[in-house]
Amino acid sequence: MIQENRNQAWREELRKSMKTKERTDIPRVHMNELDPHYRAGNQEEVNRGLTAEQAVGESRRCLDCPNPACMEGCPVNINIPGFVKNIERGEFLEAARILKATSALPAVCGRVCPQEKQCELHCIYTQKLKKEPVAIGYLERFAADYEQKSGQISIPEIPHKNGIKVAAVGSGPAGLSFAGDMAKLGYSVTVFEALHEIGGVLKYGIPEFRLPNSVVDVEIESLKKMGVHFIKNCIVGKTISIQALEEDGFKGIFVGSGAGLPRFMNIPGENLIGVMSSNEYLTRVNLMDAANPESDTPVAKGKTVAVIGGGNTAMDSVRTALRLGAERAIIVYRRSEEEMPARIEEVKHAKEEGVEFMTLHNPIAYFGDEKGRVKTMRLQKMELGEPDASGRRSPVEIPGATEDITVDVVIVSVGVSPNPLVPQSVEGLKVSKWGTIEVNENMQSSIPMIFAGGDIVRGGATVILAMGDGRKAAAAMDEYLK
Amino acid sequence: MFCMNKIVSKENLSENVVKLEIEAPLIAKARKAGHFVIVKIGQKGERIPLTIAAADTEKGTITLVVQKVGVSSTRLCNLNVGDEITDLVGPLGKATHIENVGTVVCAGGGVGVAPLLPIVEAFKKAGNRVITVLAARTKELVILEEQMRQYSDEVIVMTDDGSYGKKGLVTEGIEEVIKREKVNLCVSIGPAVMMKFVSLLTKKYGIPTIVSLNTIMVDGTGMCGACRISVGGKTKFVCVDGPEFDAHQVDFDEMLLRLSAYKEEEKADHYKIQQ
Ligand SMILES: Cc1cc2nc3c(=O)[nH]c(=O)nc-3n(C[C@H](O)[C@H](O)[C@H](O)COP(=O)(O)OP(=O)(O)OC[C@H]3O[C@@H](n4cnc5c(N)ncnc54)[C@H](O)[C@@H]3O)c2cc1C
Ligand code: FES
């Protein structure tokens, strides 16, 4: 299929229209960004996207390789050269269509995927030419945004409804992608969401300045137009049991309930006022709009805010703290910057905005004032030792080297565990020792009618993997129900 | 199957305490004594936890008893019959563990009396001797006495000013019972300070005690940790591990501090309501 597309006349012509040398001489495009000083004071999206001209220029860099390695780097095998070359010839809607054949949420993934570890890592520019890779993520976002703004979003034609009811538990990327695919196959789909908003982490976690809610809402609207039914404020396993859903006629259930349980470090003083999980902090600001004076929900605003961790969640928290007026916003991370799991772009943006990085530091205790509010944080200095099981060099303490820092808010962002609500409430559901739901290669659990995917299966993972799981589960459930 | 959380009846129990019956058939069916719900009023509202005081599965309603304390509870109390609650989710938390233990003293203060009611009922129905101690500042603030009498072998009312029942604190009422007869279990729900002192008292006498904690919450599903407290030196999330805990293991002083986390903001909010 992909080879066939590559052999189309227009594509061959396009390939020949420029010499390889001409293509590789083009420098990688720069994302248009808001000025760091300006943006650190508001929630506006930092990346502004590429203009059509920039996008076409960047797409010319792509060599349309016969064996596109970038696709191997993509967890869901998007036809990358296919969409990029359509951008080059100006067929932006067609580019979006190709993206959507594989990815249910290209506008989201174009913004939040760790491209530097996936497609762009495998790009021939990175691997062979030792140059900056084709900006695949920017181009993905460009095509998806173009379609969103065009007012010509293609709502897939829904075949005759087959009358079979299926449910998704959770409305994060996994649940939404599952719902979309099942609706396209003619099923009657109901999505149950515990919170009062649809979108999972895309809404309550990832901030507006990185992923505007409006981008997610467009996708949700499309699903609604396709007939997907959303029920908010309904916790499966609490409000309604899986058994009750079965009795109500649901023939298949997909669990995409995420990894919502925040981890703490269990060190002294962690329950002081002002110390909180990044989930709490981000939920207050993103879901509850706490920074808005109109909102009833409060949020702690500190002069000095320390965020513990080096992932995307930590970067989102520390940059949110700046936007809430922190004078000092510090990342405290126990390894070095190289080992940070956050997207490179988030680290870059955080630095530009004035975030301080204290790498090779690890908190060991917090101390409070007489009112129980955190006042000081004690940091242990670390150095890098031997690589551990994950291949990352593990940090070891430097004996006796500690430092006290005055803080008024501390945000703990050291990872999440799977949400236990569903696993606990379903008898006979096989769960791993980490609390994730066990599934086979078809995303099917130990109970045949229950499928699962996303963070509830993988622990904290990524949007694209969750999305891919949702789609895979939909295909497999369709087979199962046939 | 899913409806709009409409308020079907409203009653003022005292000046600041309102009883609301709300249409929520799924919650009514699923809830057990000890469960709570999260309520949010308006688009910009806050998510607050409220323990379910009663439920009627036939009518498909749940009953909440709310005291005006902060901006959100005041918003809720200001709603009327026919109004809809913007967001209502539950039942949350673990249900009370009910068994026949012998004699149970149930001690409630303030609006804590409301969530205590289904527990009193359940313990009675499980065959226990139930003695209920109700505490309030003054006569007008004593609530649900009639209903409590229905399921209790004895009801002792304590008021701070002696305007009704006996003059004194809830602990004095409990101690009177302990001195008089064998008590196998104590259940206490009320303001955090009250539960702290009840816990200290029963610890002295070695009587197992359960408290239902009302911490600050956001999601109520274990997602944020806003509700965390220390129990037996370990951090627990009240919304999923509780809300009921062994009182003698709870670090009440830490909990009291944590409850004051947003005091400043709450004061500012009062102006909002007045405007
Ligand atoms: C702050 C933050 C930043 C991130 N940044 C990135 C990034 O840049 N790039 C990236 O790829 N990934 C990122 N991630 C990770 C990514 O968001 C997750 O991997 C992804 O959202 C998982 O999708 P999901 O559908 O499995 O679960 P979720 O998005 O977690 O959605 C699960 C939903 O299920 C609901 N739910 C849970 N239990 C029940 C129940 N019993 N009944 C009904 N509903 C229920 C929850 O309320 C939630 O809405 C980030 C995560 C966070 C927290
Ligand atoms: S309220 Fe969020 S974890 Fe308990």
Side-chain angles (χ1 to χ4, degrees):
Chain A
M1 222 329 232
I2 286 173
Q3 208 52 42
E4 233 168 76
N5 282 334
R6 191 173 180 273
N7 293 338
Q8 284 174 323
W10 69 265
R11 206 127 142 214
E12 284 189 27
E13 211 171 292
L14 200 62
R15 269 200 301 280
K16 287 185 198 136
S17 68
M18 270 175 98
K19 293 207 186 78
T20 301
K21 176 83 172 67
E22 280 177 285
R23 292 186 186 273
T24 57
D25 278 349
I26 306 173
R28 178 177 155 119
V29 70
H30 285 285
M31 173 53 78
N32 306 311
E33 295 168 352
L34 290 180
D35 171 72
H37 281 291
Y38 168 76
R39 74 193 191 217
N42 61 54
Q43 287 281 339
E44 283 174 53
E45 190 180 13
V46 171
N47 282 352
R48 309 310 293 175
L50 302 180
T51 62
E53 203 181 321
Q54 284 175 312
V56 171
E58 180 65 18
S59 67
R60 291 200 179 108
R61 295 181 70 223
C62 169
L63 303 182
D64 202 3
C65 307
N67 293 309
C70 50
M71 287 182 62
E72 287 159 33
C74 175
V76 298
N77 288 100
I78 290 178
N79 179 357
I80 294 169
F83 94 82
V84 172
K85 290 297 123 179
N86 267 296
I87 294 181
E88 186 178 341
R89 69 162 175 160
E91 293 291 338
F92 304 146
L93 287 175
E94 179 60 15
R97 202 193 54 75
I98 293 176
L99 280 165
K100 280 176 128 177
T102 321
S103 170
L105 305 163
V108 175
C109 294
R111 285 171 167 82
V112 305
C113 263
Q115 290 94 1
E116 72 271 10
K117 292 186 196 127
Q118 301 176 3
C119 49
E120 295 185 14
L121 174 66
H122 289 74
C123 175
I124 188 162
Y125 279 77
T126 319
Q127 294 296 333
K128 300 260 163 61
L129 307 176
K130 305 294 168 210
K131 288 188 179 188
E132 284 190 290
V134 174
I136 300 168
Y138 295 170
L139 292 175
E140 178 182 23
R141 170 185 166 162
F142 169 78
D145 281 3
Y146 184 87
E147 192 201 29
Q148 282 203 354
K149 282 186 214 128
S150 71
Q152 301 186 43
I153 297 186
S154 51
I155 303 295
E157 264 179 58
I158 307 295
H160 196 66
K161 287 241 166 181
N162 63 17
I164 304 175
K165 283 193 347 185
V166 295
V169 179
S171 66
L176 293 179
S177 324
F178 168 85
D181 275 15
M182 289 309 262
K184 280 184 226 165
L185 290 166
Y187 290 87
S188 299
V189 190
T190 306
V191 179
F192 295 90
E193 169 55 52
L195 293 171
H196 61 267
E197 274 275 359
I198 302 298
V201 170
L202 307 181
K203 282 282 178 69
Y204 79 71
I206 305 180
E208 190 72 11
F209 58 80
R210 196 149 75 85
L211 176 65
N213 282 347
S214 58
V215 173
V216 185
D217 285 334
V218 172
E219 305 295 345
I220 296 166
E221 276 313 307
S222 296
L223 290 175
K224 284 186 184 159
K225 283 188 194 139
M226 284 159 62
V228 173
H229 193 45
F230 289 95
I231 295 176
K232 299 186 274 191
N233 294 316
C234 185
I235 305 177
V236 174
K238 288 275 179 191
T239 315
I240 191 161
S241 65
I242 294 246
Q243 198 192 340
L245 290 178
E246 237 182 296
E247 285 161 13
D248 204 45
F250 286 93
K251 297 287 181 235
I253 293 166
F254 173 74
V255 182
S257 55
L261 205 71
R263 278 191 219 131
F264 285 93
M265 294 170 68
N266 297 316
I267 57 177
E270 214 170 19
N271 289 348
L272 287 165
I273 300 171
V275 182
M276 71 191 94
S277 74
S278 50
N279 266 9
E280 177 180 351
Y281 189 63
L282 293 172
T283 300
R284 283 180 184 275
V285 178
N286 298 331
L287 182 72
M288 306 309 298
D289 199 17
N292 178 347
E294 304 267 291
S295 166
D296 288 348
T297 304
V299 63
K301 292 180 189 155
K303 275 208 179 88
T304 304
V305 180
V307 177
I308 318 302
N312 287 320
T313 315
M315 295 306 143
D316 285 343
S317 302
V318 81
R319 296 173 67 201
T320 296
L322 278 180
R323 284 158 173 78
L324 295 191
E327 288 163 17
R328 263 189 100 182
I330 314 169
I331 282 281
V332 177
Y333 182 55
R334 66 197 177 108
R335 302 174 194 248
S336 73
E337 192 176 318
E338 214 173 297
E339 286 84 20
M340 277 194 182
R343 295 176 78 229
I344 287 183
E345 190 179 39
E346 308 317 323
V347 176
K348 169 183 165 274
H349 281 166
K351 283 188 175 163
E352 288 168 358
E353 289 164 12
V355 170
E356 291 173 48
F357 280 69
M358 295 189 74
T359 52
L360 293 169
H361 282 79
N362 198 32
I364 48 174
Y366 304 105
F367 304 94
D369 61 16
E370 68 289 350
K371 287 184 183 148
R373 286 177 191 268
V374 67
K375 190 173 74 181
T376 318
M377 126 182 116
R378 180 157 300 160
L379 299 178
Q380 167 72 52
K381 298 189 181 179
M382 317 290 282
E383 61 190 354
L384 287 182
E386 295 298 307
D388 64 7
S390 70
R392 294 190 295 185
R393 292 179 65 192
S394 56
V396 283
E397 293 176 6
I398 304 174
T402 64
E403 182 179 351
D404 285 0
I405 292 196
T406 307
V407 287
D408 22 37
V409 173
V410 174
I411 295 155
V412 184
S413 189
V414 296
V416 284
S417 304
N419 188 317
L421 281 175
V422 174
Q424 271 172 10
S425 71
V426 187
E427 225 171 286
L429 188 66
K430 251 197 173 157
V431 177
S432 76
K433 68 174 182 218
W434 298 279
T436 52
I437 297 179
E438 287 188 2
V439 293
N440 64 17
E441 67 285 355
N442 290 323
M443 315 309 296
Q444 190 172 28
S445 76
S446 57
I447 299 173
M449 74 162 318
I450 301 181
F451 291 66
D455 284 1
I456 189 68
V457 163
R458 299 170 179 272
T462 56
V463 172
I464 187 106
L465 285 168
M467 191 274 303
D469 286 355
R471 302 203 65 184
K472 205 159 149 197
M477 191 187 285
D478 181 44
E479 276 304 311
Y480 166 76
L481 291 176
K482 259 182 195 161
Chain B
M1 177 161 84
F2 300 91
C3 60
M4 302 306 292
N5 319 324
K6 196 185 282 178
I7 296 176
V8 295
S9 81
K10 177 178 177 177
E11 189 187 329
N12 292 319
L13 294 187
S14 76
E15 194 191 333
N16 279 321
V17 178
V18 174
K19 180 171 138 187
L20 298 169
E21 198 181 348
I22 303 153
E23 230 169 60
L26 285 178
I27 303 177
K29 200 166 132 202
R31 78 96 213 191
K32 293 197 172 74
H35 278 147
F36 67 96
V37 289
I38 293 261
V39 169
K40 174 173 159 283
I41 317 293
Q43 284 316 314
K44 298 280 169 216
E46 186 181 12
R47 292 171 67 101
I48 54 163
L50 292 165
T51 311
I52 302 170
D56 185 329
T57 41
E58 253 159 54
K59 273 163 74 190
T61 60
I62 59 167
T63 300
L64 301 177
V65 174
V66 195
Q67 182 172 26
K68 290 185 196 176
V69 275
V71 69
S72 305
S73 50
T74 309
R75 279 197 211 288
L76 183 56
C77 291
N78 290 347
L79 295 182
N80 290 310
V81 173
D83 288 345
E84 280 158 10
I85 292 181
T86 320
D87 295 289
L88 172 69
V89 62
L92 298 164
K94 292 199 172 123
T96 313
H97 179 70
I98 305 284
E99 61 180 328
N100 189 343
V101 291
T103 300
V104 184
V105 170
C106 294
V111 274
V113 171
L116 194 62
L117 181 61
I119 297 174
V120 167
E121 180 184 340
F123 272 112
K124 184 68 211 164
K125 286 184 174 161
N128 293 280
R129 172 174 158 77
V130 180
I131 300 163
T132 302
V133 183
L134 301 181
R137 231 172 42 239
T138 180
K139 183 175 179 195
E140 281 69 45
L141 301 179
V142 177
I143 58 170
L144 301 173
E145 186 190 342
E146 249 342 275
Q147 289 89 328
M148 285 293 188
R149 288 200 186 276
Q150 216 183 316
Y151 299 110
S152 310
D153 293 274
E154 184 187 346
V155 173
I156 300 170
V157 179
M158 307 292 299
T159 49
D160 292 2
D161 61 1
S163 55
Y164 185 58
K166 288 183 190 154
K167 183 174 156 71
L169 298 170
V170 70
T171 39
E172 294 168 58
I174 301 171
E175 195 158 21
E176 176 193 315
V177 182
I178 296 175
K179 284 192 171 146
R180 177 182 84 191
E181 62 184 288
K182 166 109 185 106
V183 175
N184 302 87
L185 180 71
C186 177
V187 182
S188 176
I189 311 182
V193 194
M194 177 198 120
M195 291 190 282
K196 173 183 167 175
F197 284 102
V198 169
S199 174
L200 287 173
L201 173 80
T202 56
K203 197 169 187 175
K204 193 170 84 186
Y205 288 99
I207 298 168
T209 299
I210 295 166
V211 283
S212 175
L213 304 181
N214 49 349
T215 51
I216 293 174
M217 292 191 188
V218 182
D219 59 296
T221 63
M223 190 187 89
C224 74
C227 60
R228 69 195 192 281
I229 52 153
S230 300
V231 181
K234 290 211 177 74
T235 295
K236 296 277 176 192
F237 287 8
V238 171
C239 68
V240 284
D241 300 322
E244 292 177 5
F245 292 97
D246 173 353
H248 301 157
Q249 301 293 320
V250 173
D251 184 342
F252 281 101
D253 292 331
E254 179 189 276
M255 178 182 158
L256 281 161
L257 285 174
R258 287 186 61 80
L259 278 170
S260 71
Y262 293 101
K263 271 284 170 304
E264 294 302 314
E265 287 86 347
E266 274 166 26
K267 263 183 241 146
D269 269 347
H270 269 290
Y271 294 107
K272 240 196 269 182
I273 274 280
Q274 282 158 11
Q275 277 165 9

